[in-house]
Amino acid sequence: QVQLVESGGGLVQAGGSLRLSCAASGTIFIVDTVGWYRQAPGNKRELVATISSGGTTSYADSVKGRFTISRDNAKNTVWLQMNSLRPEDTAVYYCNAAIVRVVGDHVYHYWGQGTQVTVSS
């Protein structure tokens, strides 16, 4: 079994910063691309940032220059550093990881339970 656990959410004032973490555990051969998503009440879940196994990153236009995604493959952990936060960043943030559990297996995608980020104006 594979589990993803997010942490680091909370309440912060506009302009502040938070650092989210996503830790994968269980039977894992390779953690491939990992993405951070967010979903505000009544809205569709949207992609925020991704990072490949080799460290290639991508960002939604709305967070470029403010958010940074990083990873430590040895720890099976990814982070999302969020700076200059805005009220519109308020959402539940979810981690999604593409994982090969054993050699020769195909890729499975796993979701964490999410962590709440609230930015006050």
Side-chain angles (χ1 to χ4, degrees), residues 32-112:
D32 203 347
T33 300
V34 177
W36 282 99
Y37 293 73
R38 66 187 182 188
Q39 187 168 20
N43 291 352
K44 182 181 178 181
R45 190 171 298 184
E46 64 176 345
L47 180 63
V48 175
T50 66
I51 184 166
S52 73
S53 60
T56 300
T57 60
S58 67
Y59 299 92
D61 289 342
S62 60
V63 306
K64 285 181 180 177
R66 300 188 298 122
F67 291 10
T68 303
I69 188 170
S70 60
R71 69 189 291 163
D72 185 335
N73 290 335
K75 296 180 179 180
N76 288 332
T77 301
V78 298
W79 295 270
L80 185 67
Q81 179 67 47
M82 305 186 294
N83 299 325
S84 302
L85 283 163
R86 305 165 181 169
E88 53 263 42
D89 295 319
T90 295
V92 178
Y93 283 70
Y94 297 91
C95 178
N96 178 275
I99 293 176
V100 179
R101 296 173 298 176
V102 297
V103 64
D105 196 12
H106 66 274
V107 175
Y108 289 86
H109 291 264
Y110 297 88
W111 288 97

